Structure formats: structure tokens, C-alpha cells
Amino acid sequence: MPSFARLATCSALVLHGCSEAALCRSPNAGQVLMQVAVMNLSRAIQEGKPHPEDRLRRGENDLVSFLPCGQSFVLNESFDMNAQCPPSCPYHALDQRGLPCTATCATSSQCRVFNPDAPVADIVTGSCRGALVDGCYRPKLDGTDTCAECASWFQLTDGKCRARYLWVAYLVLGLLCCLVLLLLAYLVELHWRPVTNLCGLEHALAARSRSKYRVSSELGRELWPLTTNLCRTSVGGPGLLLHFNFLAVVVIWAAAVGLGWLVLGYAVDTELLILGRKQYGTAYRNCVLVAWGYTTQQRLMQIKILYLALVYVVTFIGCIWHGVRQLRLFQASDVQDTMKAFAALVKGLPSIAASEDKLEKDLAETVSSLTGEPVVGVSVCWSFSGYKEQVSEVLHQNLDHEQPHLQSSEAGGLRQSVFSAETLVLAKFEGPQDRIEEEAVQELLKNVRSSSEAYVVFESRLARDKALLALAQGFSFRGNKLSLAAARHEPRGIYWHNYGGTRSSKMWKLLKGLACIGAGLAIWVGVFYVPYAWSILTFNYEGGRQPGIIYSLSFSIIVVIGNVSMYQICAAVSDNVGFKYKETREACYMVLYFVSVCLNIVLDLVMTYYMSFAIMVHLGFRTHDGIPLSKLPFFVQRFEAYAIQRAMGQNLYEYAFPSTFLLPFLGEPALAIFGLLRLGMLVVRSHPEVSPRVATALLAANDFEFGRYADSLLNVALAVMMFFFPGGYTHWIFFMLAISQAYIYIYDHWRVLRVVPAATFASMQVDWWSQVLLAPCCALLSACLVMKGNCQLGYCLEPPRLLLACLAAGLLHCVFHLLLLHYLVPALGTTPVNSRPVSYEQVATTEPCSWFSANPIHCIRSKYVYGHTPPSSFFVPGQESVMEVNKAIGCFFAARDAKVEEVSDFEIRLPKPGWRFALPSALTWKASEGS
């Protein structure tokens, strides 16, 4: 450098505060001067003092909104994200030769000079960007949107990348469209068929209607009114009462948390409500976005930590209070004298063949003589899982009746072929056409053995309690030591065919079920998620482009398919284990579903994290201090980078709503209730050969399940996870959770009172497990509090130790939470007293499902072994009218008239064939279920 130039440079450095002589003697003093000038300009902008030599102008929001030509400046939160360059140099360019996020207003020819990787001048976005070619691995750097080398599964054609196997996707889509069209054509054909089995249709729909929850009144057995408060009225037992209280609590909690965050945002700083929701875009915008986001997040972090701590404490205390409240609700509801109030469970019975007579009579006489209390009867639990179909045929053979086989004379060749195929399918559901003779029944009873359990039924709760006290030490029967305990379940809640299985066999079935769940997850990932991830990763985000609505819809469909698949697999696993009690099956199903979908969600979030990270790296995102994301060594550092925080927060919200919170429950009534019912009606009414039993089974509604607990718990966990990310989506995700849960509550309320068959849930087993699963939801809050409080609450841990601290906080909370549930909550319960005790006869007169009518082998033995006249009637939901009274054997139920819906109440009307030149304006549904 010439001496005069060096002298000028050193003078400038001294004016800028540089007094180091060695620095003035440096051969790179000119570059140092430029860097110092840029730093001074950045410092001046941060301090709100414009540099005397710059010509940056500020807008009304006091942000730099107009940028000059030919001047480099370090971007920070003081710049407007939508700042414009002058017409003479209209493109934002990141100067890769200077400090990180150094921007310049450039002409189109200068784009390549400032950043060789972004040579394309985009007039739409007003920025210099890279080549815009989807599926490109190495773009050309000639300033055009062309590619030099395409990624795998793409081929290069005229500078563009074309998918190699796109025809496969079109073929699959075409096949799906054909299947949908065939299904629609089949449904229309079913609608246009002549009605040839109106009698069978009426019988099946009447049985469906009678099986619903009903209340006895002066006019007969009527449906419960839709205005019934299921949080206060025990329609289906204490378990159902607790279920609706749980749903209501989730709605209130979610609404309160969302409203609290909204009020906090307006009271403190509205940027709390938009942090993390500003969209990324051009390279200039991304730099300003990261700087603004980090500064704002740090400035408001103390407020967020304070609110998070408040939510954690209130939620934790609320969970314990909820447990106490649920326990007291159960205890208050459980004092009502239902079937289980009169029964005692006997354990230790010897194995006896069902063909042997007087087993129940001998056991009843033994218990009565030892206790001094009269016994109504004994219901032995028999092991007949291997003979379930034969037992079912014996029980139902008196319910079926022959119907003439009619055939439509108008049926053409195609319709006749479809009709014949349906007939073959329906024939598999039919039992044997010949009646089962008594000799075959006796042979069947010889093969059925008793289990070790039986139920002894007393005349009153008081008599039962006295017997329990008298036989507290057990008693002897036929050489075996038997024990006696109060019954905990109702006859409706017992799977009578599942007695006899060993604990080891159930564990083996459960392990095989877990393997099936793992296989289902793997198939879901390979078939659905991997193609979606590949399409997202190969999308070109240059210039701020983002995937469109097709990607969002695809993601929602993938999430719904994953959740529904887990729902079906977990239900099948729970059924296959062979639980004796419905509540145990429901608890197992709820836990399996919760765990499997949690794994599903974790997998989603992990893949979303890696996709977000790869996309942010590709777009050149850095941390607030200029470090490229790819240079961050630890997961915590990457996770806490604002670019990843913003992307993960948005992805979590889109995953939660509407994909998980709402969509599955919107489609459920249309498909699982109205769709299946309508299809069954169309098939039954056009097949006169179908027996009443099969017709009833085809039109029967699905039983009520407690999967809602798992759905709600998963939704709560997703909402809580939002506290890990910027707060712009916090109030939205909690408000959407409250709205979705309110819809679920209303939908389940209608479903219980108007659709599902009546069932009695007598224990709080399922609800207790839901309270256990609330512990990890609260643990997420504690882990988040530890992470967000790092270097804010007096401790500053390195990334590896911070991650361990978060895990430790979550585990400690779970342990403490479970200890309180186990010891504190039961201690705060109450012992209500039933002020209106009733007798077994009074209850059995109005309840068709008793300890005797629910037991299949007991009913068969009543007829074929004891020869009772009439024998004990077997309870079939919807067919209570055939049950007969025999007080001598404990059968007191006499059917009362139940007002049922008519066929027209379920009818959909379509135009008749031959209708031309116009399409139907609407499909008329006359009335839904039991309006």
C-alpha cells in the first residue's frame, strides 16, 4: 500500500477508536477498516443512532425500511423484514464476502458477485436467490433456473428435473379413483334395488333401537332425553359418569390456559402472540427474522417462564384435585344398588363338567347354611372359549325363524352376479340350518369345564355384606378351600367366554400384540411417511417458496391414517388377550393406544425435526450470532436455534390441528355410524334369506369404548409441547384443543344417548389409569420449565447436562405424581351411605341383564340340565321381549314396551332409476338416530 494511503487508513482507524499501532502497520488495514465500519454501522443501528454517513431511512414503525445502493450493512432486528431497495439496485443480496448476514442492494448483474450460490435475480421477491428447480442436487450457477445434476429418483431434461416414476403415482391415483367410482356405483345400485325384506329390516332396526340406553317411566322404557347431564346422571354406571367429567375438565383447562396466555400477551407485550408465526422467505428476510426472533424471545423469556411455572403448578394441583373429585364422584355413584351390590365372587372352585347337575344348588346351600343368609342363586363362570360358536348357536336357535327366499324378477345379469356374491358372503355369518338336538347339547356340556370362579347372589346388599363378614376366612366346598369377596363388576361388563385362560397365556398374547403394534408403525412409516418426507426434502425452497395446500392435506391424511391404524391394531390386540372384564380390556386398550400413538407422535416429531433442520440448513439459516446451523455440535443448541424453534412450532401446530385434534372425530360419525348403518340397511332389505340374527348383527351399533381417554390425553400432551417453542401458537393450540374437546364431548353425549348399546361400567379402573397417564403430561411441563429456565433462573448448564436435567425433572415429577395418586388421593375419599337400599328382586325386575341371564352356560344348563320351566332366558341386547319370568330361579325381568324408531326414521331417499337430464339437488335424510 502506498505511504499516503496507509497514512489515510491509519488515520481512519484512529478516528474509529483503533489505537493499536500494530493494527495500523498491518498490510490488511484496508479490509480491517471496512469491517470496523460495518460493525460501527450495526452498533449504531442497534443503539437507535443512525450513522452520520449512512443514508438508511426509517419507516413509521422506527425500523429501517428503505435501503441504499452500494452499501453493506449487518442485518439485525432493527431492519424491516419487508424493507425495499431503490429501483436502480432492486435486489437484496447477502454479501458472502463480509460478516454473516451482511446485505447489500444490488443490480441483477451483481448477484453473482456478492453470492455465487445465489446468482438468480428474482423480480417477484426482489432478491438474489439460487436456481429454482425441484429435485435438483447441483444447480447451474449461470443466473438461470436450470440444473446441472438431479437428485436420485429424478432425471435431467432440458435443465429441469423430472420424477422418474411419477407414472406410478398417477397409476395408483387412477386405481383409487376407479375403486371410489365402483363403490359409488355399487351404493347407487343398492339404493335402487327393490325392497324384498322389509320384515327383517324392521326387526333388526327395532332390536338396534331397544338396545340403547333407556330409562323406565310410566309410559314404558324410553330413551334418555338429550338434555340429560351425563356429568351428573349415571346412565351407564360410574365409569361412564367419570368419563364425561374427564372430558369436561380437559375443555375447561385448555380454555383457561389459552385465555391466560392471550391476556398475558395483551397485558405485557403483543409480540408474545406473534413470536414464531412470522413467515420465512428470502435470504434477507430470514436473517432479519432470526435476529428479531432471538432478541424478542430472550427479552420475553422471563415472562414466559413465570407463566409456565404458574401453569405447571396449577395443572399439577388440578390433576390431584381432579383425582380426588373423580374418586368422590365414583363413591357417591357406587352406593346405588345395582347388580354387583348383591353378588359375591367365589374363588377356588374345583374343575367340574357342565353336564353335572346340582353344582349351583349345592354351592348355594353351603353358603346359605354357613352364613345364615338366603341365597337367590349361583352363577358359575365356565371355561368355554374353545366352544364359543357352538354355545352361541344353541342359545340363538330359538330366536331365528325361516323366511322364504325371494328373488327379484327384474334382476339383470350384472345385478344378479353382485347379488349372488353378497349371498355367499352373508352365508358365512349364518349358523347351521338344522336344529341342534339335545344329545349334541349334552355332549357339548360334557366338554365344558367350570373355572375357579362363581358369583353367589344374595337378596340384598346387607345380606351380602353379612355373608362376606361371616366367611372372611374362607370355607370348604367339595374338598377345596374357597374364598369370598365383593363383586366389582356388573354382569354387562363381564366377558363370560374368556374364563379359563392362564396369566402366562395372556402375557404371551400381549407380547405378540406389542410386536404387531411395532410392525404396524414400521409399515405406516415405510408406506406413508417416507414418501411424504422425501417429497418435502426434495422441494425447492429458494426465494421463500413453501409447500402448498396439497402437502398440508397429505400430511393431515397421513396423521389420520396413522392414528386410525393404531386404533384398530390396539383394539384387536386388547380383544385377543382375553380379559374377563370389559373395564380391564378398556384400560389395556387405552394404555396401548396412548403408548403406541405417543411413539407415533415421537417418530413424527423426530422426522419433522430432521426435515426442518435439513431445510433450514439448505436455506442458509444461521443462529443469531452468525453461526451456521450445520456447525452446531449439540442437539440442544440446534433445537434452541430460533430458525428450528419457529419451524418446529409451526409443524407442531399443523400436526395438532386439525389433523389430530379434530379431523378423525369429524369423519367418525359419517363413516362409523351413518355409513355402516346405511350400508347394512341396504343389504338387509334386499336379501330376504338373511336370518333375523344376522340382520340384527349387521345393523347393530358398535359398543362404547374408552378410547376417548387416550385421544384426549394425547391432545393434551401435544398442546403442552407447544411451550417448548415460541409463543405465537400457544393460545391458538389451547383454544383449538378446547373447541375440539367440546365437540368430542357433545358428540359422545349424543352417541351414548342415541346410538351405542347399553352397557354398565361399574369400576373406575379406566379413569384411574387415565390419571396415571396425566403424570407424563405434567412432566412435560416440568421438563420445559427446566429447559427454558437455563441461564435464566440462576443456573446455566451445558447442552448435554441440560438434556439430562430435563429428563430427570420429568422422571421425578412422574414418581411424585404417582405417589400422590396412590397414597394421598384415596385418603381424601368419602364413604357415602345409600339412603334407599332395595332388594335384588326390585332391581332384577327392571334390569334384563342379570347374573343369570348374562351367563350363556348357566342358561343352557337351566334348560338341559335342571329342566327349569321356563328356563333362564339368555340376555341379547335389543331382544328383551322374549325373556320370561321364573322367580324360583332368580329371573324376575318382564319386558316392558319400549318405543322404537321406525324404518323411515333411518331412511335416505334417492331418485329412482330412469331419471334424466338433471342431477338431484340434495340427498334427503329424513331423520338421524333417534331424533
Side-chain angles (χ1 to χ4, degrees):
M1 180 181 292
S3 58
F4 68 91
R6 182 179 297 277
L7 177 62
T9 300
C10 291
S11 300
L13 289 170
V14 171
L15 289 175
H16 283 89
C18 180
S19 58
E20 294 286 342
L23 182 59
C24 294
R25 292 193 297 270
S26 172
N28 298 322
Q31 296 181 10
V32 174
L33 174 62
M34 183 184 70
Q35 295 180 2
V36 171
V38 171
M39 288 188 292
N40 285 344
L41 173 62
S42 175
R43 187 184 302 112
I45 293 174
Q46 291 178 357
E47 296 175 355
K49 301 175 181 179
H51 194 276
E53 296 181 1
D54 72 32
R55 296 186 297 274
L56 301 178
R57 289 184 293 169
R58 297 176 179 270
E60 296 179 356
N61 55 1
D62 201 33
L63 297 177
V64 177
S65 301
F66 303 95
L67 309 176
C69 285
Q71 183 173 343
S72 296
F73 33 85
V74 179
L75 300 176
N76 55 37
E77 70 276 7
S78 298
F79 286 83
D80 189 350
M81 294 183 191
N82 300 312
Q84 298 178 354
C85 289
S88 58
C89 51
Y91 303 103
H92 295 119
L94 287 190
D95 192 348
Q96 297 298 322
R97 305 169 300 176
L99 296 176
C101 282
T102 301
T104 303
C105 287
T107 61
S108 59
S109 60
Q110 293 176 325
C111 285
R112 191 181 309 175
V113 177
F114 289 109
N115 186 358
D117 293 330
V120 181
D122 193 331
I123 191 64
V124 176
T125 61
S127 65
C128 299
R129 58 168 175 80
L132 195 60
V133 182
D134 289 334
C136 184
Y137 178 73
R138 184 170 59 85
K140 289 184 178 180
L141 302 178
D142 56 358
T144 62
D145 289 327
T146 54
C147 185
E149 182 181 354
C150 294
S152 302
W153 302 92
F154 289 90
Q155 61 182 2
L156 185 64
T157 306
D158 298 330
K160 304 295 182 182
C161 295
R162 313 293 182 188
R164 294 178 183 272
Y165 304 105
L166 191 60
W167 62 271
V168 177
Y170 286 126
L171 178 61
V172 173
L173 183 61
L175 291 175
L176 290 177
C177 291
C178 291
L179 289 175
V180 171
L181 291 176
L182 287 175
L183 178 60
L184 290 176
Y186 173 65
L187 292 176
V188 172
E189 195 275 332
L190 279 177
H191 275 284
W192 285 344
R193 281 187 193 174
V195 178
T196 58
N197 188 22
L198 183 58
C199 180
L201 180 63
E202 291 177 344
H203 173 84
L205 290 178
R208 179 186 176 104
S209 181
R210 294 191 191 97
S211 67
K212 300 175 184 179
Y213 283 105
R214 293 182 174 272
V215 58
S216 298
S217 67
E218 296 179 355
L219 301 177
R221 297 172 61 244
E222 296 185 331
L223 295 173
W224 285 86
L226 286 174
T227 56
T228 303
N229 185 356
L230 295 182
C231 287
R232 289 288 180 266
T233 307
S234 180
V235 172
L240 196 61
L241 181 72
L242 300 181
H243 167 79
F244 280 96
N245 277 273
F246 173 82
L247 293 180
V249 167
V250 173
V251 173
I252 296 171
W253 172 81
V257 174
L259 183 61
W261 184 258
L262 186 65
V263 171
L264 182 68
Y266 280 106
V268 176
D269 194 329
T270 55
E271 289 189 336
L272 271 174
L273 307 179
I274 61 174
L275 190 63
R277 290 198 291 124
K278 289 187 176 182
Q279 295 296 322
Y280 61 84
T282 62
Y284 166 86
R285 182 180 179 87
N286 294 343
C287 284
V288 178
L289 175 66
V290 170
W292 172 85
Y294 174 80
T295 303
T296 305
Q297 193 173 30
Q298 292 303 308
R299 176 168 56 85
L300 300 174
M301 186 58 71
Q302 291 288 345
I303 299 298
K304 179 172 183 176
I305 291 173
L306 181 62
Y307 185 77
L308 180 57
L310 178 64
V311 171
Y312 169 65
V313 172
V314 172
T315 302
F316 181 31
I317 296 175
C319 287
I320 302 303
W321 169 83
H322 169 70
V324 174
R325 182 175 179 274
Q326 293 287 82
L327 176 61
R328 292 183 175 182
L329 280 174
F330 172 78
Q331 290 170 337
S333 177
D334 195 45
V335 298
Q336 303 299 322
D337 285 338
T338 57
M339 279 292 165
K340 75 171 186 176
F342 308 100
L345 177 62
V346 175
K347 291 186 177 181
L349 281 177
S351 178
I352 300 172
S355 59
E356 181 180 339
D357 62 351
K358 296 185 179 182
L359 172 60
E360 293 89 348
K361 184 178 179 181
D362 290 347
L363 182 57
E365 291 176 352
T366 301
V367 172
S368 181
S369 63
L370 292 174
T371 63
E373 300 295 334
V375 173
V376 175
V378 172
S379 180
V380 177
C381 304
W382 302 89
S383 177
F384 63 97
S385 58
Y387 304 95
K388 183 180 176 181
E389 294 183 0
Q390 294 93 316
V391 170
S392 178
E393 292 302 330
V394 173
L395 292 171
H396 287 91
Q397 66 179 354
N398 294 327
L399 299 177
D400 294 343
H401 56 84
E402 297 294 333
Q403 290 182 293
H405 181 82
L406 304 178
Q407 202 73 282
S408 174
S409 59
E410 301 177 357
L414 181 59
R415 172 178 287 185
Q416 184 59 48
S417 300
V418 174
F419 187 91
S420 299
E422 294 172 354
T423 303
L424 291 176
V425 173
L426 292 174
K428 296 182 179 180
F429 296 96
E430 297 283 358
Q433 299 299 319
D434 298 331
R435 289 184 60 83
I436 301 177
E437 301 298 334
E438 184 173 348
E439 292 78 7
V441 177
Q442 294 293 346
E443 187 65 27
L444 172 64
L445 293 177
K446 290 180 182 179
N447 295 326
V448 174
R449 310 291 296 183
S450 64
S451 70
S452 61
E453 298 180 8
Y455 288 95
V456 180
V457 183
F458 296 87
E459 291 185 347
S460 66
R461 180 196 288 261
L462 181 60
R464 191 275 310 266
D465 294 340
K466 290 181 179 180
L468 291 175
L469 185 61
L471 299 179
Q473 303 302 321
F475 64 100
S476 296
F477 177 75
R478 295 191 178 183
N480 287 62
K481 183 71 173 181
L482 274 58
S483 62
L484 204 64
R488 297 178 54 195
H489 300 272
E490 296 285 343
R492 288 180 185 263
I494 296 178
Y495 294 122
W496 296 90
H497 58 277
N498 282 339
Y499 280 87
T502 61
R503 180 170 298 181
S504 59
S505 65
K506 292 179 181 179
M507 289 299 300
W508 174 242
K509 291 179 180 178
L510 185 59
L511 290 176
K512 291 194 295 184
L514 294 176
C516 292
I517 292 174
L521 280 172
I523 293 173
W524 173 78
V525 170
V527 176
F528 296 102
Y529 210 106
V530 170
Y532 170 78
W534 172 78
S535 66
I536 288 293
L537 290 174
T538 56
F539 187 84
N540 196 309
Y541 297 86
E542 289 291 345
R545 289 180 72 223
Q546 297 186 36
I549 191 173
I550 296 299
Y551 289 84
S552 300
L553 291 176
S554 300
F555 184 72
S556 298
I557 293 173
I558 289 171
V559 172
V560 172
I561 290 175
N563 292 345
V564 172
S565 300
M566 290 299 101
Y567 169 86
Q568 297 294 339
I569 294 175
C570 292
V573 170
S574 301
D575 290 332
N576 187 59
V577 171
F579 292 109
K580 293 185 291 186
Y581 306 115
K582 186 174 180 62
E583 281 96 338
T584 309
R585 183 264 181 199
E586 294 296 323
C588 175
Y589 163 69
M590 183 193 68
V591 174
L592 286 178
Y593 183 52
F594 179 83
V595 173
S596 61
V597 179
C598 276
L599 294 176
N600 199 346
I601 291 174
V602 169
L603 184 61
D604 287 337
L605 294 179
V606 169
M607 296 188 71
T608 299
Y609 162 76
Y610 280 109
M611 287 192 296
S612 300
F613 183 77
I615 293 168
M616 297 299 108
V617 170
H618 173 74
L619 292 178
F621 271 96
R622 298 170 178 259
T623 62
H624 66 284
D625 50 0
I627 302 176
L629 296 181
S630 58
K631 301 297 184 182
L632 297 175
F634 298 108
F635 163 77
V636 175
Q637 293 176 320
R638 296 179 177 183
F639 184 78
E640 286 291 302
Y642 181 77
I644 301 299
Q645 285 268 297
R646 195 215 69 83
M648 290 290 291
Q650 179 181 351
N651 288 334
L652 177 62
Y653 178 76
E654 292 175 351
Y655 181 93
F657 185 83
S659 304
T660 305
F661 283 4
L662 191 59
L663 283 183
F665 312 108
L666 288 178
E668 183 178 328
L671 298 176
I673 296 179
F674 296 120
L676 290 179
L677 171 62
R678 186 59 191 169
L679 181 61
M681 289 175 60
L682 295 176
V683 171
V684 169
R685 75 179 190 180
S686 61
H687 281 270
E689 78 282 359
V690 174
S691 66
R693 177 160 62 97
V694 174
T696 301
L698 289 175
L699 298 186
N702 293 326
D703 293 334
F704 186 83
E705 295 180 333
F706 285 111
R708 290 289 184 267
Y709 275 111
D711 291 325
S712 300
L713 290 166
L714 290 166
N715 292 346
V716 167
L718 286 174
V720 166
M721 287 181 190
M722 188 56 73
F723 281 112
F724 283 96
F725 308 108
Y729 289 104
T730 300
H731 58 295
W732 283 113
I733 197 169
F734 280 99
F735 282 151
M736 295 304 103
L737 173 61
I739 293 172
S740 301
Q741 287 296 123
Y743 164 77
I744 292 173
Y745 180 96
I746 295 171
Y747 167 57
D748 275 358
H749 177 97
W750 168 80
R751 192 160 65 102
V752 165
L753 298 180
R754 289 296 180 268
V755 179
V756 300
T760 304
F761 303 96
S763 72
M764 64 175 303
Q765 184 177 8
V766 182
D767 188 81
W768 189 87
W769 279 103
S770 74
Q771 296 176 40
V772 170
L773 296 180
L774 279 174
C777 297
C778 291
L780 283 174
L781 286 171
S782 64
C784 182
L785 188 60
V786 171
M787 176 171 284
K788 295 303 178 184
N790 192 42
C791 299
Q792 299 282 342
L793 298 179
Y795 62 91
C796 202
L797 302 176
E798 295 298 322
R801 292 187 176 182
L802 177 60
L803 193 59
L804 291 176
C806 292
L807 293 174
L811 290 176
L812 286 175
H813 172 87
C814 286
V815 172
F816 186 57
H817 196 138
L818 295 179
L819 288 175
L820 291 181
L821 283 179
H822 190 268
Y823 293 105
L824 179 62
V825 172
L828 298 178
T830 60
T831 54
V833 178
N834 187 358
S835 59
R836 294 187 301 174
V838 296
S839 66
Y840 172 80
E841 182 177 354
Q842 290 175 287
V843 174
T845 301
T846 58
E847 173 56 57
C849 186
S850 69
W851 293 107
F852 312 116
S853 62
N855 189 336
I857 300 298
H858 182 90
C859 294
I860 295 177
R861 280 171 53 82
S862 175
K863 179 178 181 179
Y864 292 98
V865 175
Y866 285 99
H868 294 146
T869 305
S872 177
S873 302
F874 180 64
F875 168 71
V876 178
Q879 301 189 38
E880 299 87 350
S881 58
V882 301
M883 300 181 69
E884 297 180 276
V885 176
N886 188 343
K887 296 183 179 181
I889 58 175
C891 299
F892 298 97
F893 178 78
R896 303 185 65 183
D897 292 337
K899 183 179 179 181
V900 299
E901 295 95 329
E902 298 179 358
V903 174
S904 59
D905 293 332
F906 301 92
E907 193 57 70
I908 299 177
R909 304 194 183 283
L910 285 181
K912 295 180 179 181
W915 196 52
R916 298 182 179 180
F917 307 117
L919 293 175
S921 57
L923 299 180
T924 304
W925 195 305
K926 183 174 180 181
S928 63
E929 290 256 351
S931 58

